[in-house]
Amino acid sequence: MAQTGANPIISDLRDRIQHLEGAVARPKTALPFGVSEIDERLPGGGLTYGAIHEFAGGGAGAIDGAAAALFAAGIAARTKGKVVWCLARPDLFAPALAQVGLHPDRVIYVEAIKEEFVLESFEEALRFGGLGAVVGEVVRLPMAVSRRLQLAAEGSGTIGLVIRRWRRQTEAGDFGHPTAAATRWRISVLPSEPLPVPGVGRTRWLAELIRVKAGESADFVIGACDDQGRISISSDAADGSGQTRRSVHTG
């Protein structure tokens, strides 16, 4: 008589082998932006959990650097749970993070006196697990270090957000070196959206997806994060109305 159904012994052995190989059954999940034009460019429909993602300003200036930090903060705001933010320069403006949805009661700040200590804290927080996101501000990210961070993220399933910050123009060139990050983004400030009446329009950024594993690079003109960390894609309307399509994803 033909045997029906899977052999439970074989199934159990397969599970044990997967566990020993580090391939524990964990669904591949991603955090979508809620904007189809962006999510369609990302494998899994968003930023992959259990991976690290890099963000840098489009130039060496503080304005673009702040935009990159706010972009990453908006992503962290749309996760669930506490967020660990590791940094060596105590110049982070918490009210600005709150404006993009990342409220102070969710953030655990880890201040270190040296960048290598920032990386150690970042890796330890990634390995801990159970966090919404882990953010680390660094100048350099060598390939060997990025691989350790990626492995730590894979082990816990936590999303890691690396913000590259430059103190001087010469350091910005380090962003061109390869890393193990799943995605790499460059954020630049653009003129605000035009309004039909005089006033200050919504801040706009140029978000350059300069690298994505198993995908293609792309550029997006986006409206800055709102108070829930959501972004919008600026329309390509020729009438100059400045209308945008808002993200509907709230985490």
Side-chain angles (χ1 to χ4, degrees):
M1 179 181 296
Q3 185 177 13
T4 60
N7 188 317
I9 297 177
I10 298 299
S11 298
D12 181 65
L13 286 174
R14 285 174 178 165
D15 291 341
R16 290 173 181 269
I17 292 172
Q18 286 182 337
H19 182 78
L20 290 172
E21 291 178 344
V24 180
R26 180 190 293 122
K28 288 290 184 181
T29 58
L31 178 66
F33 284 95
V35 178
S36 60
E37 291 88 341
I38 298 178
D39 293 335
E40 289 171 357
R41 294 277 186 167
L42 300 170
L47 295 180
T48 308
Y49 283 101
I52 60 171
H53 305 271
E54 276 186 87
F55 310 88
I63 295 178
D64 287 343
L70 289 176
F71 184 71
I75 294 168
R78 294 184 291 108
T79 64
K80 303 296 184 182
K82 293 290 186 179
V83 174
V84 173
W85 197 299
C86 309
L87 69 165
R89 298 163 63 180
D91 58 357
L92 194 64
F93 190 53
L97 302 187
Q99 288 182 346
V100 298
L102 188 56
H103 296 282
D105 59 353
R106 288 190 58 201
V107 185
I108 301 171
Y109 297 101
V110 179
E111 295 186 10
I113 60 174
K114 293 183 180 181
E115 184 161 307
E116 49 264 43
F117 298 155
V118 171
L119 289 168
E120 290 177 3
S121 301
F122 187 42
E123 181 177 353
E124 186 66 24
L126 282 174
R127 293 190 185 281
F128 178 78
L131 298 168
V134 181
V135 184
E137 298 183 12
V138 298
V139 175
R140 295 181 175 85
L141 186 64
M143 175 59 83
V145 174
S146 69
R147 284 175 175 164
R148 288 206 312 270
L149 296 175
Q150 176 64 26
L151 288 173
E154 289 177 0
S156 66
T158 304
I159 191 169
L161 309 175
V162 183
I163 302 173
R164 307 293 295 276
R165 297 191 60 186
W166 328 123
R167 297 183 181 89
R168 55 190 66 88
Q169 180 65 41
T170 54
E171 294 174 336
D174 189 74
F175 191 60
H177 298 164
T179 69
T183 64
R184 306 182 81 185
W185 300 79
R186 187 162 50 206
I187 310 299
S188 304
V189 175
L190 296 175
S192 299
E193 294 177 352
L195 295 176
V197 296
V200 179
R202 184 176 181 178
T203 301
R204 292 194 305 173
W205 298 329
L206 171 63
E208 300 173 79
L209 176 58
I210 60 177
R211 181 180 183 275
V212 54
K213 290 183 178 179
E216 298 181 355
S217 59
D219 298 343
F220 310 97
V221 176
I222 63 175
C225 300
D226 66 8
D227 60 0
Q228 296 185 49
R230 301 174 302 184
I231 61 173
S232 64
I233 288 287
S234 293
S235 69
D236 198 23
D239 60 3
S241 62
Q243 295 297 314
T244 60
R245 180 159 54 260
R246 178 185 294 271
S247 164
V248 296
H249 181 72
T250 58

